[in-house]
Amino acid sequence: MIRYNLRCERGHSFESWFQSSSAYDSQLKRKLVTCAVCGSAKVEKAIMAPRIAGTKKRGSAASADLSESVAMAQERELRAGLKQLHDHLVKNADDVGARFPNEARKMHYGDIKHRPIYGEASPEEAKSLIEEGVDVGSLPLLRDDRN
């Protein structure tokens, strides 16, 4: 997964997650990437600083505590980003439930109009969609999402 900071033509800034940079490009081309604030499909990547995780090992207990604290902060940030993505999907896409693989295929092959959808697919169904060239991504289910 890759996170991009995005900006719409009206200057609204937001972030979104994509399976890969090519998935972003494909979705942008099909006007499936829209502003989380106003819904505009004229969106571009905003300038962002890369996040690089350090690999330097330190031996002190203080360093271990700091590393654990940083890891917990990163997990909270990831969970918040996933929650934001989940909320955006629920607000801006159609829940097609178990029909997801069939609906995604129909859109891919041009049988129905492209639109943002989400739903459920088994790992085997998802793999089959990817092998067919259908742009799909998975979103992990967080404990808070099940309520």
Side-chain angles (χ1 to χ4, degrees):
M1 296 287 288
I2 187 168
R3 180 181 71 183
Y4 286 128
N5 290 331
L6 304 172
R7 180 172 292 129
C8 78
E9 65 182 335
R10 296 181 181 151
H12 299 125
S13 295
F14 59 101
E15 61 183 39
S16 193
W17 291 81
F18 298 90
Q19 185 178 7
S20 64
S21 61
S22 62
Y24 165 80
D25 293 337
S26 173
Q27 291 177 32
L28 185 69
K29 181 179 174 184
R30 295 185 348 238
K31 300 192 184 297
L32 297 176
V33 180
T34 58
C35 176
V37 178
C38 68
S40 172
K42 292 186 179 180
V43 173
E44 61 184 21
K45 292 180 195 172
I47 296 174
M48 56 190 270
R51 294 191 59 173
I52 301 171
T55 59
K56 186 175 180 181
K57 297 192 181 207
R58 299 178 183 153
S60 72
S63 293
D65 290 343
L66 179 59
S67 294
E68 186 175 326
S69 177
V70 169
M72 289 181 353
Q74 288 174 334
E75 181 180 348
R76 280 193 302 274
E77 183 180 338
L78 176 61
R79 285 181 174 276
L82 289 171
K83 174 87 170 96
Q84 181 182 9
L85 177 58
H86 175 269
D87 293 347
H88 179 78
L89 282 172
V90 168
K91 182 179 176 185
N92 296 294
D94 296 331
D95 182 0
V96 295
R99 298 188 334 263
F100 178 81
N102 290 334
E103 292 291 306
R105 275 191 186 92
K106 287 178 188 177
M107 283 189 278
H108 178 73
Y109 292 112
D111 296 336
I112 61 174
K113 184 179 176 183
H114 283 271
R115 70 186 197 283
I117 63 170
Y118 68 99
E120 301 168 13
S122 70
E124 294 80 18
E125 290 170 323
K127 182 179 178 188
S128 178
L129 288 168
I130 291 167
E131 288 172 351
E132 289 179 48
V134 180
D135 286 332
V136 297
S138 64
L139 182 63
L141 184 64
L142 301 173
R143 275 189 220 134
D144 295 346
D145 293 341
R146 291 186 211 139
N147 295 335

